PDB file of all heavy atoms in Angstrom:
ATOM      1  N   TYR A 182      -0.138   3.771   4.430  1.00 94.00           N
ATOM      2  CA  TYR A 182       1.293   3.941   4.626  1.00 94.00           C
ATOM      3  C   TYR A 182       1.980   2.594   4.636  1.00 94.00           C
ATOM      4  O   TYR A 182       1.460   1.620   5.202  1.00 94.00           O
ATOM      5  CB  TYR A 182       1.582   4.658   5.948  1.00 94.00           C
ATOM      6  CG  TYR A 182       1.499   6.152   5.842  1.00 94.00           C
ATOM      7  CD1 TYR A 182       0.344   6.826   6.210  1.00 94.00           C
ATOM      8  CD2 TYR A 182       2.564   6.899   5.372  1.00 94.00           C
ATOM      9  CE1 TYR A 182       0.254   8.200   6.113  1.00 94.00           C
ATOM     10  CE2 TYR A 182       2.499   8.272   5.277  1.00 94.00           C
ATOM     11  CZ  TYR A 182       1.337   8.909   5.646  1.00 94.00           C
ATOM     12  OH  TYR A 182       1.251  10.268   5.544  1.00 94.00           O
ATOM     13  N   GLN A 183       3.154   2.550   4.017  1.00 96.00           N
ATOM     14  CA  GLN A 183       3.978   1.340   4.017  1.00 96.00           C
ATOM     15  C   GLN A 183       5.410   1.714   4.347  1.00 96.00           C
ATOM     16  O   GLN A 183       5.893   2.777   3.946  1.00 96.00           O
ATOM     17  CB  GLN A 183       3.983   0.659   2.655  1.00 96.00           C
ATOM     18  CG  GLN A 183       2.846  -0.264   2.419  1.00 96.00           C
ATOM     19  CD  GLN A 183       3.050  -1.103   1.162  1.00 96.00           C
ATOM     20  OE1 GLN A 183       3.768  -0.737   0.246  1.00 96.00           O
ATOM     21  NE2 GLN A 183       2.396  -2.241   1.131  1.00 96.00           N
ATOM     22  N   LEU A 184       6.072   0.826   5.063  1.00 96.00           N
ATOM     23  CA  LEU A 184       7.491   0.953   5.331  1.00 96.00           C
ATOM     24  C   LEU A 184       8.161  -0.233   4.658  1.00 96.00           C
ATOM     25  O   LEU A 184       7.887  -1.382   5.003  1.00 96.00           O
ATOM     26  CB  LEU A 184       7.766   0.927   6.836  1.00 96.00           C
ATOM     27  CG  LEU A 184       9.224   1.108   7.242  1.00 96.00           C
ATOM     28  CD1 LEU A 184       9.678   2.531   6.935  1.00 96.00           C
ATOM     29  CD2 LEU A 184       9.412   0.793   8.698  1.00 96.00           C
ATOM     30  N   VAL A 185       8.996   0.052   3.663  1.00 96.00           N
ATOM     31  CA  VAL A 185       9.702  -0.991   2.941  1.00 96.00           C
ATOM     32  C   VAL A 185      11.144  -0.977   3.421  1.00 96.00           C
ATOM     33  O   VAL A 185      11.804   0.069   3.405  1.00 96.00           O
ATOM     34  CB  VAL A 185       9.640  -0.769   1.415  1.00 96.00           C
ATOM     35  CG1 VAL A 185      10.409  -1.848   0.674  1.00 96.00           C
ATOM     36  CG2 VAL A 185       8.190  -0.732   0.950  1.00 96.00           C
ATOM     37  N   VAL A 186      11.624  -2.131   3.882  1.00 95.00           N
ATOM     38  CA  VAL A 186      12.978  -2.246   4.425  1.00 95.00           C
ATOM     39  C   VAL A 186      13.814  -3.079   3.468  1.00 95.00           C
ATOM     40  O   VAL A 186      13.426  -4.185   3.093  1.00 95.00           O
ATOM     41  CB  VAL A 186      12.950  -2.904   5.829  1.00 95.00           C
ATOM     42  CG1 VAL A 186      14.348  -2.979   6.404  1.00 95.00           C
ATOM     43  CG2 VAL A 186      12.008  -2.154   6.765  1.00 95.00           C
ATOM     44  N   LYS A 187      14.956  -2.523   3.064  1.00 94.00           N
ATOM     45  CA  LYS A 187      15.886  -3.224   2.184  1.00 94.00           C
ATOM     46  C   LYS A 187      17.096  -3.683   2.979  1.00 94.00           C
ATOM     47  O   LYS A 187      17.594  -2.958   3.839  1.00 94.00           O
ATOM     48  CB  LYS A 187      16.376  -2.301   1.055  1.00 94.00           C
ATOM     49  CG  LYS A 187      15.315  -1.916   0.067  1.00 94.00           C
ATOM     50  CD  LYS A 187      15.105  -2.998  -0.930  1.00 94.00           C
ATOM     51  CE  LYS A 187      14.250  -2.510  -2.079  1.00 94.00           C
ATOM     52  NZ  LYS A 187      14.264  -3.382  -3.191  1.00 94.00           N
ATOM     53  N   ASP A 188      17.561  -4.877   2.687  1.00 92.00           N
ATOM     54  CA  ASP A 188      18.781  -5.400   3.285  1.00 92.00           C
ATOM     55  C   ASP A 188      19.938  -4.525   2.799  1.00 92.00           C
ATOM     56  O   ASP A 188      20.159  -4.396   1.597  1.00 92.00           O
ATOM     57  CB  ASP A 188      18.986  -6.853   2.864  1.00 92.00           C
ATOM     58  CG  ASP A 188      20.187  -7.497   3.507  1.00 92.00           C
ATOM     59  OD1 ASP A 188      21.285  -6.906   3.442  1.00 92.00           O
ATOM     60  OD2 ASP A 188      20.036  -8.590   4.064  1.00 92.00           O
ATOM     61  N   GLY A 189      20.673  -3.923   3.721  1.00 86.00           N
ATOM     62  CA  GLY A 189      21.736  -2.999   3.356  1.00 86.00           C
ATOM     63  C   GLY A 189      22.892  -3.647   2.624  1.00 86.00           C
ATOM     64  O   GLY A 189      23.574  -3.009   1.828  1.00 86.00           O
ATOM     65  N   GLN A 190      23.128  -4.916   2.866  1.00 87.00           N
ATOM     66  CA  GLN A 190      24.247  -5.599   2.223  1.00 87.00           C
ATOM     67  C   GLN A 190      23.831  -6.251   0.903  1.00 87.00           C
ATOM     68  O   GLN A 190      24.475  -6.071  -0.116  1.00 87.00           O
ATOM     69  CB  GLN A 190      24.831  -6.656   3.163  1.00 87.00           C
ATOM     70  CG  GLN A 190      26.122  -7.256   2.669  1.00 87.00           C
ATOM     71  CD  GLN A 190      26.781  -8.106   3.752  1.00 87.00           C
ATOM     72  OE1 GLN A 190      26.103  -8.783   4.514  1.00 87.00           O
ATOM     73  NE2 GLN A 190      28.088  -8.046   3.800  1.00 87.00           N
ATOM     74  N   ALA A 191      22.738  -6.990   0.900  1.00 87.00           N
ATOM     75  CA  ALA A 191      22.315  -7.727  -0.296  1.00 87.00           C
ATOM     76  C   ALA A 191      21.511  -6.866  -1.272  1.00 87.00           C
ATOM     77  O   ALA A 191      21.430  -7.180  -2.455  1.00 87.00           O
ATOM     78  CB  ALA A 191      21.487  -8.946   0.104  1.00 87.00           C
ATOM     79  N   GLY A 192      20.882  -5.789  -0.772  1.00 86.00           N
ATOM     80  CA  GLY A 192      20.072  -4.944  -1.637  1.00 86.00           C
ATOM     81  C   GLY A 192      18.699  -5.514  -1.935  1.00 86.00           C
ATOM     82  O   GLY A 192      17.943  -4.938  -2.710  1.00 86.00           O
ATOM     83  N   THR A 193      18.346  -6.630  -1.326  1.00 92.00           N
ATOM     84  CA  THR A 193      17.033  -7.239  -1.526  1.00 92.00           C
ATOM     85  C   THR A 193      16.054  -6.729  -0.472  1.00 92.00           C
ATOM     86  O   THR A 193      16.456  -6.132   0.530  1.00 92.00           O
ATOM     87  CB  THR A 193      17.126  -8.781  -1.432  1.00 92.00           C
ATOM     88  OG1 THR A 193      17.659  -9.122  -0.150  1.00 92.00           O
ATOM     89  CG2 THR A 193      18.017  -9.341  -2.526  1.00 92.00           C
ATOM     90  N   GLU A 194      14.774  -6.970  -0.695  1.00 94.00           N
ATOM     91  CA  GLU A 194      13.781  -6.539   0.280  1.00 94.00           C
ATOM     92  C   GLU A 194      13.864  -7.416   1.522  1.00 94.00           C
ATOM     93  O   GLU A 194      13.751  -8.636   1.450  1.00 94.00           O
ATOM     94  CB  GLU A 194      12.379  -6.599  -0.319  1.00 94.00           C
ATOM     95  CG  GLU A 194      11.335  -6.008   0.607  1.00 94.00           C
ATOM     96  CD  GLU A 194       9.965  -5.883  -0.021  1.00 94.00           C
ATOM     97  OE1 GLU A 194       9.861  -5.286  -1.116  1.00 94.00           O
ATOM     98  OE2 GLU A 194       9.016  -6.391   0.583  1.00 94.00           O
ATOM     99  N   TYR A 195      14.039  -6.765   2.668  1.00 94.00           N
ATOM    100  CA  TYR A 195      14.097  -7.465   3.948  1.00 94.00           C
ATOM    101  C   TYR A 195      12.687  -7.688   4.488  1.00 94.00           C
ATOM    102  O   TYR A 195      12.395  -8.706   5.097  1.00 94.00           O
ATOM    103  CB  TYR A 195      14.941  -6.658   4.939  1.00 94.00           C
ATOM    104  CG  TYR A 195      15.097  -7.304   6.286  1.00 94.00           C
ATOM    105  CD1 TYR A 195      15.970  -8.363   6.466  1.00 94.00           C
ATOM    106  CD2 TYR A 195      14.363  -6.856   7.376  1.00 94.00           C
ATOM    107  CE1 TYR A 195      16.117  -8.970   7.699  1.00 94.00           C
ATOM    108  CE2 TYR A 195      14.506  -7.448   8.611  1.00 94.00           C
ATOM    109  CZ  TYR A 195      15.384  -8.503   8.770  1.00 94.00           C
ATOM    110  OH  TYR A 195      15.520  -9.099  10.014  1.00 94.00           O
ATOM    111  N   GLY A 196      11.819  -6.725   4.265  1.00 95.00           N
ATOM    112  CA  GLY A 196      10.441  -6.839   4.728  1.00 95.00           C
ATOM    113  C   GLY A 196       9.638  -5.599   4.406  1.00 95.00           C
ATOM    114  O   GLY A 196      10.183  -4.582   3.977  1.00 95.00           O
ATOM    115  N   ARG A 197       8.335  -5.707   4.636  1.00 95.00           N
ATOM    116  CA  ARG A 197       7.418  -4.613   4.313  1.00 95.00           C
ATOM    117  C   ARG A 197       6.334  -4.580   5.378  1.00 95.00           C
ATOM    118  O   ARG A 197       5.729  -5.599   5.695  1.00 95.00           O
ATOM    119  CB  ARG A 197       6.816  -4.882   2.940  1.00 95.00           C
ATOM    120  CG  ARG A 197       5.901  -3.823   2.410  1.00 95.00           C
ATOM    121  CD  ARG A 197       5.393  -4.210   1.027  1.00 95.00           C
ATOM    122  NE  ARG A 197       6.500  -4.361   0.093  1.00 95.00           N
ATOM    123  CZ  ARG A 197       6.669  -3.611  -0.986  1.00 95.00           C
ATOM    124  NH1 ARG A 197       5.788  -2.679  -1.283  1.00 95.00           N
ATOM    125  NH2 ARG A 197       7.691  -3.803  -1.786  1.00 95.00           N
ATOM    126  N   LEU A 198       6.095  -3.382   5.923  1.00 96.00           N
ATOM    127  CA  LEU A 198       5.046  -3.196   6.921  1.00 96.00           C
ATOM    128  C   LEU A 198       3.993  -2.272   6.339  1.00 96.00           C
ATOM    129  O   LEU A 198       4.326  -1.229   5.760  1.00 96.00           O
ATOM    130  CB  LEU A 198       5.618  -2.573   8.196  1.00 96.00           C
ATOM    131  CG  LEU A 198       6.710  -3.355   8.910  1.00 96.00           C
ATOM    132  CD1 LEU A 198       7.321  -2.508  10.011  1.00 96.00           C
ATOM    133  CD2 LEU A 198       6.152  -4.647   9.466  1.00 96.00           C
ATOM    134  N   THR A 199       2.727  -2.636   6.478  1.00 95.00           N
ATOM    135  CA  THR A 199       1.617  -1.798   6.033  1.00 95.00           C
ATOM    136  C   THR A 199       0.835  -1.376   7.263  1.00 95.00           C
ATOM    137  O   THR A 199       0.473  -2.202   8.098  1.00 95.00           O
ATOM    138  CB  THR A 199       0.697  -2.570   5.062  1.00 95.00           C
ATOM    139  OG1 THR A 199       1.477  -2.986   3.935  1.00 95.00           O
ATOM    140  CG2 THR A 199      -0.456  -1.703   4.595  1.00 95.00           C
ATOM    141  N   PHE A 200       0.587  -0.077   7.382  1.00 93.00           N
ATOM    142  CA  PHE A 200      -0.084   0.467   8.556  1.00 93.00           C
ATOM    143  C   PHE A 200      -1.540   0.755   8.242  1.00 93.00           C
ATOM    144  O   PHE A 200      -1.850   1.566   7.368  1.00 93.00           O
ATOM    145  CB  PHE A 200       0.626   1.731   9.037  1.00 93.00           C
ATOM    146  CG  PHE A 200       2.087   1.502   9.278  1.00 93.00           C
ATOM    147  CD1 PHE A 200       3.038   2.066   8.457  1.00 93.00           C
ATOM    148  CD2 PHE A 200       2.504   0.682  10.305  1.00 93.00           C
ATOM    149  CE1 PHE A 200       4.389   1.844   8.672  1.00 93.00           C
ATOM    150  CE2 PHE A 200       3.850   0.447  10.517  1.00 93.00           C
ATOM    151  CZ  PHE A 200       4.793   1.023   9.709  1.00 93.00           C
ATOM    152  N   GLU A 201      -2.415   0.068   8.955  1.00 88.00           N
ATOM    153  CA  GLU A 201      -3.854   0.243   8.777  1.00 88.00           C
ATOM    154  C   GLU A 201      -4.280   1.563   9.406  1.00 88.00           C
ATOM    155  O   GLU A 201      -3.677   2.045  10.357  1.00 88.00           O
ATOM    156  CB  GLU A 201      -4.621  -0.911   9.443  1.00 88.00           C
ATOM    157  CG  GLU A 201      -4.308  -2.269   8.859  1.00 88.00           C
ATOM    158  CD  GLU A 201      -4.745  -2.420   7.413  1.00 88.00           C
ATOM    159  OE1 GLU A 201      -5.774  -1.831   7.018  1.00 88.00           O
ATOM    160  OE2 GLU A 201      -4.046  -3.123   6.663  1.00 88.00           O
ATOM    161  N   GLY A 202      -5.337   2.156   8.884  1.00 86.00           N
ATOM    162  CA  GLY A 202      -5.871   3.389   9.446  1.00 86.00           C
ATOM    163  C   GLY A 202      -5.331   4.619   8.742  1.00 86.00           C
ATOM    164  O   GLY A 202      -4.590   4.542   7.764  1.00 86.00           O
ATOM    165  N   ASP A 203      -5.694   5.770   9.267  1.00 90.00           N
ATOM    166  CA  ASP A 203      -5.297   7.057   8.717  1.00 90.00           C
ATOM    167  C   ASP A 203      -4.303   7.683   9.687  1.00 90.00           C
ATOM    168  O   ASP A 203      -4.665   8.070  10.797  1.00 90.00           O
ATOM    169  CB  ASP A 203      -6.539   7.943   8.549  1.00 90.00           C
ATOM    170  CG  ASP A 203      -6.266   9.187   7.745  1.00 90.00           C
ATOM    171  OD1 ASP A 203      -5.160   9.327   7.185  1.00 90.00           O
ATOM    172  OD2 ASP A 203      -7.164  10.042   7.682  1.00 90.00           O
ATOM    173  N   TRP A 204      -3.048   7.771   9.280  1.00 92.00           N
ATOM    174  CA  TRP A 204      -1.963   8.205  10.154  1.00 92.00           C
ATOM    175  C   TRP A 204      -1.461   9.591   9.778  1.00 92.00           C
ATOM    176  O   TRP A 204      -1.526  10.001   8.633  1.00 92.00           O
ATOM    177  CB  TRP A 204      -0.800   7.226  10.067  1.00 92.00           C
ATOM    178  CG  TRP A 204      -1.103   5.914  10.686  1.00 92.00           C
ATOM    179  CD1 TRP A 204      -1.653   4.826  10.065  1.00 92.00           C
ATOM    180  CD2 TRP A 204      -0.900   5.533  12.031  1.00 92.00           C
ATOM    181  NE1 TRP A 204      -1.796   3.799  10.953  1.00 92.00           N
ATOM    182  CE2 TRP A 204      -1.338   4.209  12.172  1.00 92.00           C
ATOM    183  CE3 TRP A 204      -0.385   6.177  13.140  1.00 92.00           C
ATOM    184  CZ2 TRP A 204      -1.277   3.521  13.375  1.00 92.00           C
ATOM    185  CZ3 TRP A 204      -0.318   5.492  14.339  1.00 92.00           C
ATOM    186  CH2 TRP A 204      -0.762   4.180  14.452  1.00 92.00           C
ATOM    187  N   ALA A 205      -0.915  10.275  10.775  1.00 92.00           N
ATOM    188  CA  ALA A 205      -0.246  11.559  10.571  1.00 92.00           C
ATOM    189  C   ALA A 205       0.975  11.592  11.481  1.00 92.00           C
ATOM    190  O   ALA A 205       1.057  10.839  12.459  1.00 92.00           O
ATOM    191  CB  ALA A 205      -1.186  12.712  10.916  1.00 92.00           C
ATOM    192  N   ASP A 206       1.911  12.436  11.156  1.00 93.00           N
ATOM    193  CA  ASP A 206       3.102  12.664  11.989  1.00 93.00           C
ATOM    194  C   ASP A 206       3.858  11.372  12.282  1.00 93.00           C
ATOM    195  O   ASP A 206       4.288  11.133  13.402  1.00 93.00           O
ATOM    196  CB  ASP A 206       2.688  13.375  13.283  1.00 93.00           C
ATOM    197  CG  ASP A 206       3.869  13.984  14.016  1.00 93.00           C
ATOM    198  OD1 ASP A 206       4.852  14.353  13.345  1.00 93.00           O
ATOM    199  OD2 ASP A 206       3.816  14.077  15.253  1.00 93.00           O
ATOM    200  N   LEU A 207       4.011  10.517  11.269  1.00 94.00           N
ATOM    201  CA  LEU A 207       4.723   9.252  11.462  1.00 94.00           C
ATOM    202  C   LEU A 207       6.223   9.490  11.597  1.00 94.00           C
ATOM    203  O   LEU A 207       6.808  10.277  10.852  1.00 94.00           O
ATOM    204  CB  LEU A 207       4.484   8.305  10.287  1.00 94.00           C
ATOM    205  CG  LEU A 207       3.176   7.530  10.318  1.00 94.00           C
ATOM    206  CD1 LEU A 207       2.977   6.788   9.002  1.00 94.00           C
ATOM    207  CD2 LEU A 207       3.139   6.565  11.464  1.00 94.00           C
ATOM    208  N   ALA A 208       6.824   8.810  12.550  1.00 95.00           N
ATOM    209  CA  ALA A 208       8.269   8.864  12.757  1.00 95.00           C
ATOM    210  C   ALA A 208       8.770   7.443  12.971  1.00 95.00           C
ATOM    211  O   ALA A 208       8.151   6.658  13.693  1.00 95.00           O
ATOM    212  CB  ALA A 208       8.608   9.732  13.961  1.00 95.00           C
ATOM    213  N   ILE A 209       9.880   7.119  12.328  1.00 95.00           N
ATOM    214  CA  ILE A 209      10.450   5.777  12.391  1.00 95.00           C
ATOM    215  C   ILE A 209      11.812   5.857  13.069  1.00 95.00           C
ATOM    216  O   ILE A 209      12.616   6.745  12.758  1.00 95.00           O
ATOM    217  CB  ILE A 209      10.638   5.190  10.969  1.00 95.00           C
ATOM    218  CG1 ILE A 209       9.365   5.329  10.133  1.00 95.00           C
ATOM    219  CG2 ILE A 209      11.114   3.753  11.041  1.00 95.00           C
ATOM    220  CD1 ILE A 209       8.161   4.614  10.651  1.00 95.00           C
ATOM    221  N   SER A 210      12.078   4.942  13.980  1.00 95.00           N
ATOM    222  CA  SER A 210      13.397   4.846  14.597  1.00 95.00           C
ATOM    223  C   SER A 210      13.704   3.376  14.827  1.00 95.00           C
ATOM    224  O   SER A 210      12.861   2.510  14.612  1.00 95.00           O
ATOM    225  CB  SER A 210      13.452   5.636  15.911  1.00 95.00           C
ATOM    226  OG  SER A 210      12.488   5.174  16.822  1.00 95.00           O
ATOM    227  N   SER A 211      14.929   3.104  15.259  1.00 93.00           N
ATOM    228  CA  SER A 211      15.275   1.715  15.558  1.00 93.00           C
ATOM    229  C   SER A 211      16.241   1.672  16.731  1.00 93.00           C
ATOM    230  O   SER A 211      17.094   2.547  16.881  1.00 93.00           O
ATOM    231  CB  SER A 211      15.889   1.023  14.335  1.00 93.00           C
ATOM    232  OG  SER A 211      17.145   1.577  14.027  1.00 93.00           O
ATOM    233  N   TYR A 212      16.040   0.705  17.574  1.00 92.00           N
ATOM    234  CA  TYR A 212      16.929   0.376  18.688  1.00 92.00           C
ATOM    235  C   TYR A 212      16.505  -0.987  19.207  1.00 92.00           C
ATOM    236  O   TYR A 212      15.468  -1.525  18.796  1.00 92.00           O
ATOM    237  CB  TYR A 212      16.927   1.449  19.788  1.00 92.00           C
ATOM    238  CG  TYR A 212      15.588   1.732  20.420  1.00 92.00           C
ATOM    239  CD1 TYR A 212      15.111   0.990  21.501  1.00 92.00           C
ATOM    240  CD2 TYR A 212      14.789   2.765  19.945  1.00 92.00           C
ATOM    241  CE1 TYR A 212      13.885   1.260  22.072  1.00 92.00           C
ATOM    242  CE2 TYR A 212      13.563   3.040  20.518  1.00 92.00           C
ATOM    243  CZ  TYR A 212      13.123   2.293  21.587  1.00 92.00           C
ATOM    244  OH  TYR A 212      11.905   2.558  22.154  1.00 92.00           O
ATOM    245  N   ASP A 213      17.283  -1.541  20.084  1.00 94.00           N
ATOM    246  CA  ASP A 213      16.987  -2.871  20.630  1.00 94.00           C
ATOM    247  C   ASP A 213      15.944  -2.742  21.738  1.00 94.00           C
ATOM    248  O   ASP A 213      16.274  -2.646  22.908  1.00 94.00           O
ATOM    249  CB  ASP A 213      18.266  -3.526  21.142  1.00 94.00           C
ATOM    250  CG  ASP A 213      18.059  -4.966  21.579  1.00 94.00           C
ATOM    251  OD1 ASP A 213      16.942  -5.494  21.394  1.00 94.00           O
ATOM    252  OD2 ASP A 213      19.016  -5.560  22.096  1.00 94.00           O
ATOM    253  N   ALA A 214      14.678  -2.739  21.357  1.00 94.00           N
ATOM    254  CA  ALA A 214      13.584  -2.513  22.302  1.00 94.00           C
ATOM    255  C   ALA A 214      13.325  -3.696  23.229  1.00 94.00           C
ATOM    256  O   ALA A 214      12.841  -3.524  24.342  1.00 94.00           O
ATOM    257  CB  ALA A 214      12.310  -2.175  21.540  1.00 94.00           C
ATOM    258  N   ASN A 215      13.650  -4.917  22.800  1.00 93.00           N
ATOM    259  CA  ASN A 215      13.347  -6.098  23.611  1.00 93.00           C
ATOM    260  C   ASN A 215      14.603  -6.766  24.172  1.00 93.00           C
ATOM    261  O   ASN A 215      14.539  -7.895  24.650  1.00 93.00           O
ATOM    262  CB  ASN A 215      12.507  -7.107  22.817  1.00 93.00           C
ATOM    263  CG  ASN A 215      13.202  -7.584  21.560  1.00 93.00           C
ATOM    264  OD1 ASN A 215      14.276  -7.117  21.207  1.00 93.00           O
ATOM    265  ND2 ASN A 215      12.575  -8.523  20.871  1.00 93.00           N
ATOM    266  N   SER A 216      15.734  -6.080  24.104  1.00 93.00           N
ATOM    267  CA  SER A 216      17.002  -6.539  24.703  1.00 93.00           C
ATOM    268  C   SER A 216      17.437  -7.921  24.231  1.00 93.00           C
ATOM    269  O   SER A 216      17.973  -8.702  25.014  1.00 93.00           O
ATOM    270  CB  SER A 216      16.901  -6.510  26.230  1.00 93.00           C
ATOM    271  OG  SER A 216      16.633  -5.216  26.696  1.00 93.00           O
ATOM    272  N   ASP A 217      17.224  -8.206  22.939  1.00 91.00           N
ATOM    273  CA  ASP A 217      17.660  -9.498  22.402  1.00 91.00           C
ATOM    274  C   ASP A 217      18.965  -9.379  21.611  1.00 91.00           C
ATOM    275  O   ASP A 217      19.408 -10.335  20.980  1.00 91.00           O
ATOM    276  CB  ASP A 217      16.577 -10.137  21.534  1.00 91.00           C
ATOM    277  CG  ASP A 217      16.282  -9.369  20.256  1.00 91.00           C
ATOM    278  OD1 ASP A 217      16.805  -8.245  20.082  1.00 91.00           O
ATOM    279  OD2 ASP A 217      15.513  -9.883  19.428  1.00 91.00           O
TER     280      ASP A 217
END
């Protein structure tokens, strides 16, 4: 599994995450988890 993130303004790739292992029921969300 990979999560590819595109910059919403520039349209370029912001980053890419690859998840090791065999995953099921993946859910993605976003919020300020570390209060920065």
Side-chain angles (χ1 to χ4, degrees):
Y182 276 97
Q183 275 191 336
L184 182 69
V185 179
V186 182
K187 292 279 191 167
D188 183 309
Q190 189 170 37
T193 58
E194 187 172 307
Y195 181 77
R197 183 179 300 243
L198 300 171
T199 301
F200 306 110
E201 298 295 327
D203 191 7
W204 290 90
D206 196 29
L207 279 172
I209 310 298
S210 58
S211 67
Y212 59 87
D213 186 5
N215 59 355
S216 300
D217 66 352

